Amino acid sequence: MSFAELALDPRLLANLQALGYSQPTPIQQQAIAPVLAGRDLLAGAQTGTGKTASFVLPILQKILPLASTSTSPARHPVRALVLCPTRELAVQVADNAQTYAKHTPIRTAVVFGGVDIKTQTPAVRAGVELLIATPGRLLDHLEQRNVNLNQVQYLVLDEADRMLDMGFLPDLQRILNLLPKQRQTLLFS
Ligand code: AMP
C-alpha cells in the first residue's frame, strides 16, 4: 500500500515525498485508513515505528477541509488534541506534526511544563487546530482560559500506559470532561 492509495491530500503527499518517505510503515498501513474512516483506535506501537505520522496524517487530512486562512483566533479552534506524558515526547510529536502540516493553513502548537507559561500563551491564544500537550500544563492553560477544548473532534493519548504510570489519571479525567462526547479517540501504548 502506498501513501497515494490512502488518498491523502496532495499537500500532505508532497510533504512526505520531500521527507523521502517512500511507503507507509506497518503501523501507518494499519492505522491511517481506519482513522480516516472515523473509527476509534487502540494501537500498540513504539517510538521509531512511524507511530506519530500514523495519527498525525489522518488527523490533518480530516481537519484540512475546515482550515481557515483568517487571522481571527475564533476561526482556529483546537480540533485535535494530542496528550503526551513528557516534554520530550510532546516536542518530538510537535516537530513531526509541523513538518507533515507544512504548506497547509493548519496551525500546530505544543505546551509542556517546566518552562514559563507566558512563553506559550501567545501561540495558543492566537488559535491552533492541532495542539500537543502534557496534561498538567494543558490544565494550567485551561485555567487561564488561554484555550478552549469544546471543539475537539480528535483526541490522541500517546504513550497512554506511561501517562497512567506517571500518575496523570486525575489530570486526564479533568481534561476528558472538557471534551465533546462526540469525538474520535486514538490510544497508543
Ligand atoms: P516515530 O515512530 O513517529 O517517532 O517515527 C520514527 C522516525 O521514522 C521519524 O524520524 C520519522 O520521521 C520516520 N518515519 C515515519 N514514517 C516514515 C515512513 N513512512 N518512511 C520513512 N520514515 C518514516
Side-chain angles (χ1 to χ4, degrees):
M1 188 197 287
S2 67
F3 283 114
E5 280 172 77
L6 291 164
L8 295 176
D9 184 279
R11 289 165 286 185
L12 302 180
L13 290 175
N15 291 338
L16 296 174
Q17 198 166 18
L19 288 165
Y21 294 7
S22 52
Q23 61 173 41
T25 65
I27 179 71
Q28 291 163 5
Q29 298 203 17
Q30 290 182 334
I32 295 177
V35 177
L36 288 175
R39 310 249 295 272
D40 284 349
L41 191 74
L42 179 64
Q46 299 197 323
T47 299
T49 57
K51 170 186 63 148
T52 314
S54 78
F55 59 82
V56 171
L57 291 172
I59 287 174
L60 291 173
Q61 174 78 17
K62 296 280 251 180
I63 65 181
L64 260 172
L66 306 167
S68 167
T69 51
S70 159
T71 54
S72 162
R75 297 302 197 107
H76 299 273
V78 179
R79 299 191 190 276
L81 174 65
V82 181
L83 294 174
C84 301
T86 64
R87 166 191 183 151
E88 289 72 25
L89 183 63
V91 168
Q92 195 183 316
V93 169
D95 285 348
N96 282 334
Q98 203 130 42
T99 315
Y100 302 142
K102 224 170 170 176
H103 308 306
T104 77
I106 293 173
R107 299 179 182 175
T108 62
V110 59
V111 298
F112 46 80
V115 297
D116 187 350
I117 192 166
K118 288 198 211 80
T119 61
Q120 300 167 345
T121 301
V124 286
R125 287 210 156 206
V128 49
E129 280 85 7
L130 173 56
L131 180 61
I132 297 116
T134 53
R137 179 50 59 96
L138 177 61
L139 286 169
D140 297 338
H141 281 287
L142 286 161
E143 263 159 34
Q144 297 194 5
R145 300 193 188 281
N146 295 334
V147 66
N148 181 311
L149 300 179
N150 65 15
Q151 292 196 55
V152 171
Q153 295 160 286
Y154 306 94
L155 170 69
V156 181
L157 300 172
D158 199 1
E159 297 196 1
D161 48 337
R162 220 167 131 203
M163 281 199 278
L164 297 181
D165 287 346
M166 289 169 71
F168 278 128
L169 185 59
D171 285 355
L172 290 178
Q173 278 168 335
R174 285 176 63 197
I175 293 166
L176 293 187
N177 282 337
L178 298 170
L179 301 178
K181 295 284 164 275
Q182 197 66 36
R183 63 161 193 268
Q184 249 175 283
T185 301
L186 319 180
L187 192 149
F188 288 81
S189 69

